[in-house]
Amino acid sequence: MFGESEDERGAGISRRAFLTGACVTGAAAMVGGLNACAPPQDAGPGGAGGTGSGANGGAVPVSKAPSKVDKTYDADLLIVGAGGSGLACAVQAALNGTNLILVDKSNQVGGNANFVEGMFAVNSTLQLEQGIDMQPAEIMEAELSRGQHRQNGDVWLDFVSKSADNITWCIEQGVMYSGKVDDYRVGLFPTFHWFKDGKAAVGYVEPMKARLEELSVQLHLKTAVNGLVMKNGRVIGAYADGGEGVVRYSAKAVVLATGGFGGNEEIVAEQGWNTDGIRIVGSPNAAGDGYRIAMDNGACSFMADSAQSILYAIEAFPPIDFHDAAENPLYGYFGIASGGPVLWVNEACRRYTREDLANDNLALQCLPGKGNKGNYVVFDQAIFDRFFGKNDDAKKAFYDAIKANGGGSIYQSDSLADLAGRFNLDADALKAAVDRYNELCGEGADSDFGKAAGLMAPIETPPFYLAKLSYNYFFSVGGITTDGRHRVLDGRRNPIEGLYAIGNDGNMLYRNVYTINMPGVAFGHQVNSGREAANAVLEYLDR
């Protein structure tokens, strides 16, 4: 990606591998403070357990129901969010004979699932037909080791063990696969099952939508859930704003499938990220609605361990473009901000990691600098010309950005001291960092951090460039603490009766780092968690 040789390129990963986990939508954006693992609080009979804003912007006070309800519906199960996981949950619940209603605040089903290309499975019929035979233990060790074994192995084993059946089940529901199974070019194992035409919009969303109609599932679109109704610590319904006004759903169980909080800058900040100059690149519908609802009703926050799809960015450059980001050398997934043949320093002008982390895992690149007050990228004209100024379009975009930006987030100068002064950095410290980096480049090996030798290019040809790094935030992974049955847990790690979280809302497969080494896992989890929650609800209702 960065250069011409394999040594220089490293293990490049396409934009698609990074986005395969993107999930969907749900209820309206909620407001209010974040709970960690606070003990559960009962809203009392008829109370809406939560503070939130509905589609009309009106708040629903804690422990107080709306003064007026325009429409009521009764069901055993309410599913909030009709994306990848919500669709799977609704179809499975309907097959189970559960009386359910599926709602979504948008005007269509699918959400970000429409952009997914395939899903994970181990030893599916499609794999076995092609002679692909893997041992679950291999998958487990490869994945868990990359998360430092901080993940719950039992949850992972359950997911892996059920993955082949999920493919079979999807086919039975009409989901269409292309038949191609591979490692997605850069994965550790051939676990990626491509949807027809390489698009879940074609292979998954439309067939599942048709299946909902066949099963006569009630679907309420443009309906934003904004609070739960609790009684004696148990879910008995929810309130929403929709086309019929204020709606009350009486339900014995509620499943949150709202796609996480990646579209909500305030909650992203609570995750610990500096949001100055941040670009929310994922779906704005994934606004933390389910997270707020769960927290307002005593759920244990998984925020401290949650993961995310995130990349470095430079504010002066154009927004990342999904269509060409994998190959764009200027501001794409492997652009200037993403590292490689450049130098990264923090606010003290200290180098803090090797800059080619994107070759290991795109989502890993930002984590070492998360605790820094500021992060900066340094390079020179020779580096730009060799690695990034690949064509006239790239060069024009680069120089136009510098001119228009006026030095706000990127600056050009023949003097390193001038660059440092522009960003209020210590000039001597910056020079020392560059001198040390150039020394390593001269030795032909990064003996400090171990960056690939082909990416060790000295910074010595003026003009020099220094840019302040911000972030492109795609989507969150996890936020609400759940158990193996996808039940939402309270501060004492006990299930909140009747409340479930699936998809990106309740994803417990990761700890801090969104590993993308096992292709299709995130969407495989959408299907698996949806089905499992529907089955868990069936057991709950039968008690």
Side-chain angles (χ1 to χ4, degrees):
M1 297 292 178
F2 295 116
E4 291 72 18
S5 71
E6 183 62 31
D7 187 24
E8 291 172 339
R9 284 196 300 270
I13 303 171
S14 80
R15 69 179 179 90
R16 301 174 303 184
F18 189 62
L19 292 175
T20 299
C23 186
V24 241
T25 74
M30 310 300 289
V31 296
L34 298 176
N35 283 344
C37 287
Q41 297 180 358
D42 187 8
T51 300
S53 58
N56 60 5
V60 180
V62 174
S63 301
K64 184 177 179 181
S67 59
K68 177 186 177 183
V69 173
D70 300 300
K71 183 72 173 180
T72 60
Y73 289 95
D74 292 322
D76 289 331
L77 169 62
L78 177 68
I79 302 172
V80 185
S85 61
L87 288 173
C89 188
V91 170
Q92 183 65 69
L95 292 171
N96 291 346
T98 302
N99 177 24
L100 74 129
I101 298 174
L102 173 64
V103 304
D104 196 291
K105 70 180 181 183
S106 68
N107 62 359
Q108 61 184 355
V109 303
N112 277 356
N114 285 296
F115 305 103
V116 174
E117 296 163 303
M119 62 184 280
F120 168 95
V122 174
N123 295 332
S124 69
T125 55
L126 294 176
Q127 287 167 315
L128 296 179
E129 289 171 359
Q130 298 175 39
I132 300 172
D133 186 8
M134 294 172 289
Q135 295 300 315
E138 293 181 276
I139 304 294
M140 295 286 294
E141 178 58 25
E143 184 65 28
L144 294 179
S145 64
R146 282 160 177 77
Q148 296 182 322
H149 284 269
R150 297 181 64 238
Q151 312 97 306
N152 186 319
D154 178 52
V155 172
W156 257 98
L157 183 58
D158 183 70
F159 166 65
V160 171
S161 300
K162 293 171 179 173
S163 60
D165 180 63
N166 287 332
I167 297 290
T168 300
W169 180 84
C170 281
I171 292 173
E172 291 173 350
Q173 308 317 313
V175 172
M176 298 176 289
Y177 297 92
S178 71
K180 180 181 178 182
V181 180
D182 62 18
D183 63 356
Y184 205 77
R185 294 195 304 134
V186 295
L188 297 174
F189 295 90
T191 59
F192 199 77
H193 294 63
W194 290 83
F195 290 121
K196 182 181 178 181
D197 297 340
K199 299 177 182 179
V202 175
Y204 180 84
V205 174
E206 284 303 316
M208 292 293 276
K209 179 182 176 182
R211 194 72 174 115
L212 291 179
E213 296 173 355
E214 292 173 2
L215 294 168
S216 300
V217 172
Q218 290 191 66
L219 174 62
H220 296 177
L221 298 176
K222 297 183 180 180
T223 302
V225 171
N226 50 40
L228 299 180
V229 185
M230 305 289 293
K231 183 175 182 180
N232 299 326
R234 182 187 300 263
V235 172
I236 61 169
Y239 288 105
D241 289 310
E244 297 175 296
V246 177
V247 180
R248 171 166 173 159
Y249 291 96
S250 294
K252 299 174 183 176
V254 172
V255 173
L256 302 174
T258 64
F261 54 82
N264 188 320
E265 187 175 315
E266 290 184 5
I267 306 182
V268 170
E270 293 290 345
Q271 201 179 30
W273 296 103
N274 182 348
T275 58
D276 292 342
I278 197 169
R279 286 175 174 148
I280 300 298
V281 188
S283 171
N285 285 331
D289 311 348
Y291 179 81
R292 291 298 197 199
I293 290 172
M295 294 306 107
D296 287 339
N297 287 277
C300 180
S301 174
F302 192 66
M303 186 68 73
D305 285 324
S306 62
Q308 59 283 305
S309 289
I310 189 169
L311 299 179
Y312 275 135
I314 297 173
E315 258 191 288
F317 292 163
I320 203 163
D321 186 333
F322 289 143
H323 300 293
D324 69 356
E327 306 302 332
N328 191 312
L330 185 59
Y331 51 86
Y333 294 113
F334 295 90
I336 294 172
S338 297
V342 296
L343 170 65
W344 282 340
V345 296
N346 62 13
E347 72 279 0
C349 294
R350 301 283 296 180
R351 188 183 182 209
Y352 55 90
T353 187
R354 59 181 174 88
E355 296 83 2
D356 60 348
L357 293 177
N359 286 332
D360 298 353
N361 176 350
L362 279 171
L364 186 63
Q365 63 182 259
C366 301
L367 294 187
K370 184 178 182 182
N372 294 337
K373 182 178 180 181
N375 296 292
Y376 303 85
V377 58
V378 189
F379 56 101
D380 68 359
Q381 189 65 46
I383 291 173
F384 174 77
D385 291 341
R386 177 183 174 189
F387 294 96
F388 303 111
K390 294 291 188 178
N391 52 55
D392 290 341
D393 287 342
K395 292 177 182 178
K396 184 178 186 305
F398 180 71
Y399 294 118
D400 285 351
I402 292 177
K403 181 179 180 181
N405 178 248
S409 62
I410 186 169
Y411 193 57
Q412 169 188 332
S413 177
D414 289 343
S415 164
L416 288 175
D418 187 32
L419 290 179
R422 185 71 186 188
F423 290 96
N424 297 315
L425 301 175
D426 186 284
D428 291 336
L430 180 61
K431 183 178 184 302
V434 172
D435 287 346
R436 173 56 180 166
Y437 186 74
N438 287 345
E439 178 184 349
L440 295 173
C441 292
E443 294 172 355
D446 182 8
S447 56
D448 284 350
F449 290 99
K451 183 163 72 175
L455 296 175
M456 294 296 291
I459 301 170
E460 56 190 10
T461 305
F464 304 111
Y465 301 92
L466 190 149
K468 186 173 184 179
L469 296 173
S470 53
Y471 302 107
N472 288 310
Y473 196 104
F474 292 84
F475 59 90
S476 63
V477 186
I480 304 169
T481 304
T482 60
D483 64 9
R485 305 308 309 281
H486 309 284
R487 299 178 296 183
V488 175
L489 302 182
D490 66 17
R492 302 185 184 96
R493 296 301 197 278
N494 294 319
I496 297 175
E497 295 291 323
L499 187 59
Y500 303 78
I502 60 177
N504 284 351
D505 278 329
N507 192 329
M508 302 291 286
L509 294 178
Y510 306 95
R511 297 294 187 277
N512 299 114
V513 179
Y514 176 56
T515 54
I516 54 177
N517 310 287
M518 213 69 67
V521 164
F523 195 77
H525 174 264
Q526 317 304 323
V527 175
N528 188 68
S529 62
R531 294 188 64 203
E532 286 298 292
N535 293 334
V537 167
L538 180 64
E539 293 181 10
Y540 175 71
L541 296 175
D542 286 344
R543 290 191 316 184

